[in-house]
């Protein structure tokens, strides 16, 4: 028997291994096996089993089988295969992205004692130390050796030890996931009956503590299955030794059980309020579309009850005994949204996202395999091993965080979800207040069924949006720093009414640039071709691309002048300006810098929600699905900046962001007010936001895409070449372009220098491929891209060249 194994490496072929006779019975598709490559061990996944192979080279043998049951299913493997083809990457790369780290075993080097005793030879002090440590232990890991010697480079010492045969080096696979074992207490066999328990109490009556422990045991028995020692001791107010004493007497028994790391939650309130008639109509549309297996796009304004409808649809699917995957943008997962779904589904639901520990992720993985009904997760949850998937809900389907930029596979979770419906024969529901241009286009083309909720629940009015032209206001002397008097007055009014304000700014930090007024010098990152952003709170300059940090210089390094000023505005600066205008106001900031930990994020949201703050200043994070009762005013002081981003989706993104932020205003009783300041109001997108004309925005946008050759009318693939040497990169890019052009003609752009042309000391060049959206042409193009990449690497001395392929860039 032979098996093809996927390994967590970027190699384009699968490795074939022979299965030794004694392991044949355990081999199944989807189990992990331990295999050698060169002198390392890896854990890979069995992809294919065959009885014979047609090669002369005798394959190596697998070492062992790691799982008794497959950890992934045939559907997952089918998905991996599709993804590697569609996104032009290897199966190993998909596997890397798909499996929680703890399921990807890696080989670890272990040092064990050799034939020669460490005292018998002459060794350096460092080597002697290791020899001694090994005499006390079965083995040492590299990390332990580093710790003992207190330095990173230990190889000279290792070489010395190996040459003297004092140590041997072995490779072993390390299982990184350990179930959490907890000690618990129960009555032992002879004391199960009540009479026996009373006797036992009598027998220990001279020890008050033992009596208390036993009484506690009886009391807790009704509340839970496994009573941990810790809990029992806490409850009975006794030490652990008391329980040990009872164990010695044979009255109780201490045993191990595996405790789940996943917090479980009780259902709090089942949302019983009936659907409104328009929500009911949408629900019926969904059932009808699903009956005919058509994907469905729900376009509903913010606050119309989309979430309410998702919940009903999910319930319906679970009732039929199927599993549901509910996809949310990463940041929305730590918010009120999850609490709301939790309160409905309780134990039936689990959450999966990147802020979880590895061990927690493995447990969600296993629970999904066992058939847990509802998984709420970020983009990577499309990889979970659903055994019985019936429905996928993609909330906020327009959201850019569904796209993985780096590393490969550069996938879009919404698109993958649509693919999953074919693999699992399941249903899909996409929803948004501002659908992406591509999804709305699909709906108009009839690929998706479109259903809409045009009004807010309870007929709460949509916010009143007003545009303020800062050029005009400045001329009329109605501006104070960046704020118009109108905006300042509106904020003041709101604060007076004891209501709350959200201020949106899409840049974090204090000021994007620190510049010398005398000579024009600006602080630049040493590793990237970008200016450093000033962060006042940390009092330093930071690069948002590579994380480089520098002290704020006291003088201009170029001319020695002292007139260093900040130019442009980040969230921090906005916060400071607001505080100067409203000295009494309690202001809090929500951005990447203030939310490094999960708890920081939650506490800002909770505190704002409980009105501990009056004004929330934030980046895009404030746009995601919040429902704050007292927010009646939303301000966007610098809306122009939204249009100064690169990429063909800039206008679309600007429309979406402004609409979503505006949607945070006045969601409950009072109509909300939104003020948007622009210096040039001639871009039609501002009026489209003001009057909430999605259709008009869409028509204009789709026409532009058609005129200028952008998706969805063509297929786009972005190739990015990287190298440390600019001239070398230039040549390689030209050569690659020429080779692609011979096959693809004018579908290939000339090499383009991106606006940020160097990141982390690597120079960058882009090639944009635009081709007809035709299955055959796309397949040929992908083939050519990969083939010519290989050829390029063959002829050229390509040391250090990297080529990233991004299919459907956004
Ligand atoms: P969306 O997801 O479209 O923003 P939500 O589902 O969050 O809208 O609904 C907005 C508000 O209206 C929420 O506070 C929700 O509880 C309430 N709501 C929506 N539909 C109903 C309903 N049928 N019955 C009672 N309350 C509803
Ligand atoms: Zn200067
Ligand atoms: Zn940098």
């Amino acid at each position: 028997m032979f098996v093809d194994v996927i390994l967590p490496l970027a190699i384009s072929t699968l490795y074939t291994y022979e299965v030794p006779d004694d392991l044949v019975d355990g081999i199944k598709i989807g189990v992990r096996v331990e295999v050698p490559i060169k002198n390392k061990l890896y854990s890979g996944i069995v992809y294919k089993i065959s009885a014979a192979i047609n090669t002369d080279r005798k394959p190596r043998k697998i070492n062992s089988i790691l799982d008794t049951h497959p950890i992934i299913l045939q559907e997952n493997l089918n998905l991996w295969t599709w993804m590697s083809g569609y996104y032009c990457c290897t199966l190993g790369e998909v596997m890397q992205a798909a499996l929680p780290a703890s399921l990807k075993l890696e080989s670890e080097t272990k040092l064990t004692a050799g034939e020669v005793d460490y005292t018998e030879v002459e060794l350096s002090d460092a080597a002697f130390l290791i020899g001694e440590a090994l005499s006390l232990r079965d083995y040492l890991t590299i990390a332990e050796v580093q710790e003992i010697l207190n330095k990173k480079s230990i190889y000279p010492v290792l070489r010395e030890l190996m040459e003297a045969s004092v140590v041997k080096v072995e490779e072993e696979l390390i299982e990184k996931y350990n179930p959490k074992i907890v000690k618990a207490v129960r009555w032992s066999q002879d004391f199960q009956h009540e009479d026996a328990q009373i006797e036992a109490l009598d027998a220990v009556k001279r020890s008050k503590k033992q009596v208390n422990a036993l009484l506690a045991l009886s009391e807790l028995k009704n509340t839970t299955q496994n009573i941990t020692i810790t809990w029992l001791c806490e409850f009975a107010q006794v030490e652990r030794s008391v329980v040990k004493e009872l164990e010695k007497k044979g009255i109780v028994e201490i045993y191990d059980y595996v405790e789940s790391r996943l917090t479980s939650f009780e259902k709090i309130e089942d949302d019983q309020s009936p659907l409104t008639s328009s929500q009911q109509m949408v629900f019926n549309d969904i059932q009808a579309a699903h009956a005919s297996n058509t994907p469905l796009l729900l376009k509903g304004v913010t606050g119309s009850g989309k979430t309410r409808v998702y919940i009903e649809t999910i319930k319906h699917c679970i009732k039929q005994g199927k599993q549901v995957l509910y996809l949310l943008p990463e940041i929305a997962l730590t918010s009120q949204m999850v609490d709301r779904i939790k309160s409905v589904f309780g134990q039936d639901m689990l959450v999966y996202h990147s802020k979880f520990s590895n061990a927690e992720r493995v447990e969600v993985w296993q629970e999904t395999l066992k058939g847990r009904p509802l998984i709420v997760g970020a983009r990577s949850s499309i990889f979970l091993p659903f055994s019985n998937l019936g429905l996928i809900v993609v909330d906020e389907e327009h959201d850019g965080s569904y796209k993985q930029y780096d590393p490969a596979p550069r996938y879009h979770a919404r698109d993958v979800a649509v693919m999953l419906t074919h693999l699992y024969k399941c249903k899909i529901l996409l929803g948004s207040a501002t659908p992406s241009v591509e999804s709305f286009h699909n709906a108009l083309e009839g690929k998706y069924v479109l259903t809409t909720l045009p009004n807010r629940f309870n007929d709460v009015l949509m916010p009143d949006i007003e545009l303020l032209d800062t050029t005009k206001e400045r001329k009329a002397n109605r501006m104070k720093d960046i704020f118009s008097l109108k905006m300042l007055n509106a904020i003041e009014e709101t604060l007076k009414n004891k209501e709350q304000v959200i201020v949106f700014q899409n840049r974090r930090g204090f000021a994007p640039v620190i510049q010398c007024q005398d000579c024009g010098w600006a602080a630049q990152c040493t590793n990237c071709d970008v200016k450093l952003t000033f962060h006042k709170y940390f009092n330093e300059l930071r690069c948002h691309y590579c994380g480089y940090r520098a002290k704020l210089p006291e003088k201009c390094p170029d001319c020695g002048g002292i007139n260093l000023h900040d130019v442009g505005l980040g969230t921090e600066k906005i916060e400071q300006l607001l505080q100067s205008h409203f000295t009494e106001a309690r202001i809090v900031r929500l951005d990447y810098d203030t939310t490094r930990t999960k708890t920081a994020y939650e506490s800002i949201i909770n505190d704002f929600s409980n009105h501990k703050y009056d004004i929330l200043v934030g980046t895009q994070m404030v746009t995601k699905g919040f429902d704050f009762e007292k927010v009646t005013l939303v301000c966007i002081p610098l809306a122009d900046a939204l249009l100064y981003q690169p990429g063909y989706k800039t206008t679309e993104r600007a429309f979406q962001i402004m609409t979503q932020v505006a949607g945070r205003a006045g969601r409950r009783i009072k109509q909300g007010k939104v003020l948007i300041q622009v210096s040039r109001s001639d871009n039609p997108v501002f009026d489209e936001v003001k009057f909430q004309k999605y259709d008009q925005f869409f028509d204009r946008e789709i026409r532009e895409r058609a005129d200028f050759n952008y998706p969805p009318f063509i297929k786009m693939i972005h190739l990015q070449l990287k190298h440390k040497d600019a001239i070398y990169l230039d040549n390689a890019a030209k050569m690659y372009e020429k080779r692609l052009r011979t096959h693809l003609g004018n579908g290939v752009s000339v090499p383009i220098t991106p606006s940020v042309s160097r990141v982390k000391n690597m120079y960058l060049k882009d090639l944009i491929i635009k081709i007809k959206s035709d299955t055959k042409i796309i397949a040929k193009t992908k083939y050519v891209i990969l083939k010519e990449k290989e050829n390029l690497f063959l002829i050229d001395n390509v040391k250090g060249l990297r080529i990233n392929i991004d299919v459907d860039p956004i």
Side-chain angles (χ1 to χ4, degrees):
M1 183 192 268
F2 300 90
V3 286
D4 289 348
V5 175
I6 311 175
L7 295 162
L9 305 168
I11 39 173
S12 52
T13 48
L14 297 178
Y15 276 40
T16 304
Y17 290 88
E18 192 181 339
V19 183
D21 290 342
D22 56 328
L23 295 182
V24 163
D25 285 344
I27 288 288
K28 290 175 206 123
I29 285 174
V31 296
R32 288 174 306 162
V33 288
E34 179 186 76
V35 295
I37 294 187
K38 298 208 180 103
N39 49 9
K40 280 238 157 205
L41 293 181
Y42 287 90
S43 76
I45 286 200
V46 174
Y47 182 74
K48 205 175 128 197
I49 303 173
S50 26
I53 45 167
N54 45 3
T55 154
D56 308 332
R57 290 239 324 264
K58 197 168 159 47
R60 296 176 74 174
K61 290 193 168 117
I62 64 170
N63 283 5
S64 65
I65 303 173
L66 300 169
D67 303 300
T68 41
H69 300 289
I71 61 159
I72 62 166
L73 307 171
Q74 188 60 51
E75 284 90 344
N76 296 106
L77 281 176
N78 294 347
L79 177 73
W80 293 12
T81 312
W82 175 80
M83 280 181 85
S84 104
Y86 188 88
Y87 291 109
C88 295
C89 60
T90 69
L91 275 171
E93 287 170 317
V94 181
M95 168 172 165
Q96 284 283 35
L99 291 185
S102 314
L103 288 178
K104 293 175 290 202
L105 304 185
E106 267 161 40
S107 92
E108 185 163 82
T109 308
K110 281 187 172 180
L111 307 180
T112 54
E115 297 99 64
V116 179
D117 191 82
Y118 74 105
T119 54
E120 286 169 16
V121 281
E122 198 160 312
L123 294 170
S124 68
D125 287 352
F128 185 84
L129 215 57
I130 301 303
E132 193 175 49
L134 256 183
S135 69
L136 305 168
R137 299 269 308 272
D138 291 342
Y139 66 87
L140 291 173
T141 65
I142 295 291
E144 285 168 334
V145 173
Q146 284 169 330
E147 202 173 301
I148 292 168
L149 300 181
N150 195 19
K151 59 179 177 188
K152 278 260 173 290
S153 71
I154 54 164
Y155 286 94
V157 180
L158 286 191
R159 199 170 327 118
E160 182 189 347
L161 286 161
M162 286 186 318
E163 276 165 10
S165 296
V166 174
V167 306
K168 277 191 313 221
V169 172
E170 285 172 14
E171 292 289 320
E172 190 170 313
L173 284 184
I174 305 300
E175 179 93 55
K176 281 186 261 168
Y177 169 73
N178 289 312
K180 187 169 167 190
I181 308 281
V182 177
K183 296 226 174 287
V185 194
R186 62 186 167 214
W187 290 97
S188 49
Q189 204 56 45
D190 295 342
F191 293 89
Q192 294 295 325
H193 199 269
E194 212 172 300
D195 297 341
Q197 291 174 4
I198 292 166
E199 260 170 52
L201 274 169
D202 199 44
V204 301
K205 71 173 176 235
R206 265 187 296 152
S207 159
K208 196 154 191 276
K209 284 184 174 174
Q210 292 184 18
V211 171
N212 283 347
L214 290 179
L215 287 174
L217 189 61
S218 302
E219 195 162 328
L220 291 175
K221 211 177 59 186
N222 304 324
T223 60
T224 179
Q225 242 178 349
N226 297 300
I227 302 160
T228 64
I229 294 196
T230 319
W231 192 20
L232 182 74
C233 290
E234 212 168 282
F235 194 84
Q237 300 273 310
V238 299
E239 304 81 46
R240 290 176 96 88
S241 56
V242 177
V243 183
K244 286 261 155 66
E245 203 53 44
L246 288 167
E247 187 194 22
K248 249 193 234 152
K249 291 184 180 160
I251 299 172
V252 304
E253 175 172 283
I254 296 174
Y255 64 100
D256 289 341
Y257 84 100
V258 178
E259 187 185 73
S260 169
R261 290 183 172 82
L262 308 170
T263 39
S264 56
F265 14 77
E266 302 297 320
K267 284 184 208 189
I268 302 167
E269 42 155 300
D270 200 315
D271 198 346
Q272 293 292 358
S273 54
L275 294 179
T276 63
S277 63
S278 48
Q279 288 168 351
Q280 186 62 45
M281 256 148 60
V282 165
F283 181 80
N284 295 345
D285 280 352
I286 294 170
Q287 299 314 321
H290 283 171
S292 65
N293 281 325
T294 320
L296 205 117
L297 176 64
L298 167 56
K299 175 172 174 290
V301 297
T302 51
S304 58
K306 292 185 295 299
T307 314
R308 187 75 190 76
V309 172
Y310 301 147
I311 289 172
E312 281 312 306
T313 312
I314 292 168
K315 274 188 195 162
H316 186 78
C317 182
I318 292 178
K319 232 180 252 159
Q320 292 168 343
K322 301 252 178 178
Q323 283 177 295
V324 179
L325 169 61
Y326 186 163
L327 286 171
L328 275 169
E330 178 77 39
I331 197 72
L333 276 173
T334 43
S335 75
Q336 308 161 314
M337 192 66 177
V338 168
D339 294 339
R340 185 166 161 200
I341 308 167
K342 265 182 204 170
S343 73
V344 178
F345 293 99
Q347 303 276 14
D348 282 349
M349 128 181 188
L350 287 177
V351 182
Y352 190 69
H353 71 92
S354 67
K355 284 200 169 125
F356 272 18
S357 73
N358 269 318
E360 285 172 311
R361 286 186 190 219
V362 172
E363 288 178 16
V364 177
W365 189 274
Q366 290 165 343
E367 285 299 312
T368 310
L369 257 180
K370 284 187 208 152
R372 187 73 69 125
L374 173 60
I375 307 290
V376 178
R379 64 167 184 259
S380 63
S381 45
I382 50 141
F383 291 115
L384 287 168
F386 294 96
S387 46
N388 185 21
L389 189 61
L391 170 71
I392 307 173
V393 176
V394 187
D395 197 356
E396 314 279 9
E397 68 84 28
H398 66 277
D399 198 283
S401 70
Y402 284 128
K403 168 83 179 177
Q404 165 142 326
Y405 290 96
D406 234 1
R410 298 181 173 78
Y411 65 98
H412 196 298
R414 178 203 54 216
D415 299 344
V416 175
V418 172
M419 185 58 204
L420 275 178
T421 62
H422 299 294
L423 296 176
Y424 277 99
K425 306 264 173 294
C426 68
K427 327 285 183 199
I428 191 163
L429 170 58
L430 313 174
S432 173
T434 51
S436 62
V437 168
E438 58 274 16
S439 292
F440 202 69
H441 179 73
N442 277 335
L444 296 186
E445 297 271 286
K447 281 191 202 155
Y448 299 165
V449 170
L450 180 66
T451 178
T452 54
L453 284 171
N455 299 311
R456 283 187 158 179
F457 171 72
N458 236 350
D459 292 322
V460 172
L461 289 171
M462 290 304 286
D464 169 30
I465 302 176
E466 190 175 343
L467 294 177
L468 296 165
D469 186 325
T470 51
T471 316
K472 273 192 209 147
E473 297 296 303
R474 208 170 287 284
K475 272 197 195 127
N477 227 347
R478 286 197 298 258
M479 293 288 287
K480 270 192 183 173
D481 52 64
I482 62 153
F483 296 102
S484 61
L485 293 180
K486 193 142 194 187
M487 192 174 270
L488 291 175
N489 289 339
I491 295 174
E492 190 172 338
E493 188 71 12
T494 311
L495 298 181
K496 227 187 261 160
N497 290 339
K498 303 261 179 287
E499 291 161 355
Q500 290 174 297
V501 186
I502 290 180
V503 179
F504 169 79
Q505 164 64 347
N506 67 335
R507 299 193 89 118
R508 69 189 164 95
F510 187 75
V513 185
I514 292 287
Q515 203 166 34
C516 170
Q517 301 293 87
D518 302 330
C519 74
W521 170 90
Q524 190 92 27
C525 177
T526 54
N527 309 320
C528 314
D529 158 37
V530 291
K531 302 219 162 61
L532 295 173
T533 302
F534 178 47
H535 288 249
K536 195 179 173 80
Y537 180 77
F538 301 104
N539 198 31
E540 60 185 12
L541 298 162
R542 289 186 173 185
C543 171
H544 288 187
Y545 285 80
C546 73
Y548 172 82
R549 297 167 183 197
K551 277 234 144 31
L552 186 66
E554 282 169 14
K555 285 186 285 189
C556 169
D558 268 15
C559 74
I562 49 159
N563 294 317
L564 296 178
H565 284 279
D566 46 83
V567 185
L569 297 142
T571 41
E572 244 187 302
K573 176 89 179 239
I574 302 259
E575 182 187 8
Q576 193 192 54
L577 289 174
L578 280 168
Q579 197 73 72
S580 73
H581 292 298
F582 305 100
T583 44
E584 304 280 284
R586 298 163 301 170
I587 306 178
V588 66
R589 185 156 52 88
L590 186 75
D591 59 26
Y592 182 71
D593 293 326
T594 60
T595 56
R596 289 304 168 79
T597 64
K598 192 178 158 204
T599 45
Y601 179 87
E602 276 167 3
S603 69
I604 292 175
I605 297 301
N606 284 338
D607 289 349
F608 187 65
S609 189
N610 296 329
H611 209 157
K612 288 195 184 145
Y613 296 103
D614 306 304
I615 305 178
L616 176 68
V617 181
T619 54
Q620 274 200 54
M621 285 186 177
V622 302
T623 64
K624 315 277 167 155
F626 291 126
D627 195 3
F628 298 116
E629 199 177 336
K630 289 192 181 147
V631 173
T632 51
L633 176 67
V634 166
C635 297
I636 310 181
L638 298 153
D640 305 82
L642 289 169
L643 294 171
Y644 302 151
Q645 319 274 340
Y648 75 94
K649 273 177 164 285
T650 304
T651 322
E652 178 184 348
R653 221 170 282 140
F655 180 86
Q656 286 160 349
I657 288 175
M658 284 189 275
T659 307
Q660 297 280 352
V661 185
R664 303 307 121 215
R667 288 170 64 89
R668 299 287 172 86
I669 311 136
K670 190 171 164 179
Q671 185 186 23
K673 177 91 190 164
V674 180
L675 292 175
I676 302 179
Q677 291 188 166
V678 284
S679 65
R680 304 192 42 159
S681 53
D682 51 355
N683 192 314
V685 75
F686 294 117
D687 266 338
E688 287 154 5
V689 170
K690 176 173 158 67
F691 297 108
Q692 279 303 295
K693 288 190 173 150
Y694 179 89
D695 290 347
Q696 193 175 315
F697 149 76
F698 176 82
D699 286 345
R700 196 172 53 82
E701 188 65 24
I702 201 83
R703 226 179 312 119
E704 274 182 27
R705 303 265 177 103
D707 290 350
F708 295 98
N709 247 341
Y710 279 108
F713 299 100
I714 50 114
K715 184 90 184 165
M716 208 154 112
I717 300 176
H718 172 201
L719 308 173
Q720 185 158 70
L721 289 80
K722 301 187 187 184
H723 200 274
K724 277 199 160 31
D725 180 313
I727 297 171
Y728 181 91
L729 178 71
D730 233 30
N731 289 334
K734 279 187 193 135
M735 197 145 29
Y736 196 28
E737 176 214 340
K738 206 167 131 207
R739 291 163 159 269
L740 292 175
R741 202 175 283 279
T742 56
H743 302 280
L744 306 174
N746 286 336
V748 187
S749 76
V750 294
I752 303 163
T753 309
S755 60
V756 175
S757 66
R758 188 172 59 111
V759 171
K760 295 183 190 164
N761 285 319
M762 299 282 268
Y763 288 89
L764 310 177
K765 282 276 180 207
D766 290 340
L767 289 173
I768 304 289
I769 313 247
K770 287 179 175 180
I771 44 169
K772 220 172 124 185
S773 196
D774 168 285
T775 324
K776 270 202 190 128
I777 296 176
I778 294 169
K780 177 192 156 192
T781 305
K782 286 177 183 169
Y783 174 81
V784 167
I785 288 171
L786 289 172
K787 192 79 209 160
E788 290 302 342
K789 177 178 164 183
E790 245 171 63
N791 288 342
L792 189 68
F793 279 75
L794 279 183
I795 56 138
D796 209 1
N797 171 19
V798 285
K799 211 158 180 268
L801 177 69
R802 282 213 253 129
I803 301 180
N804 289 343
I805 305 172
D806 186 0
V807 178
D808 304 335
I810 62 168

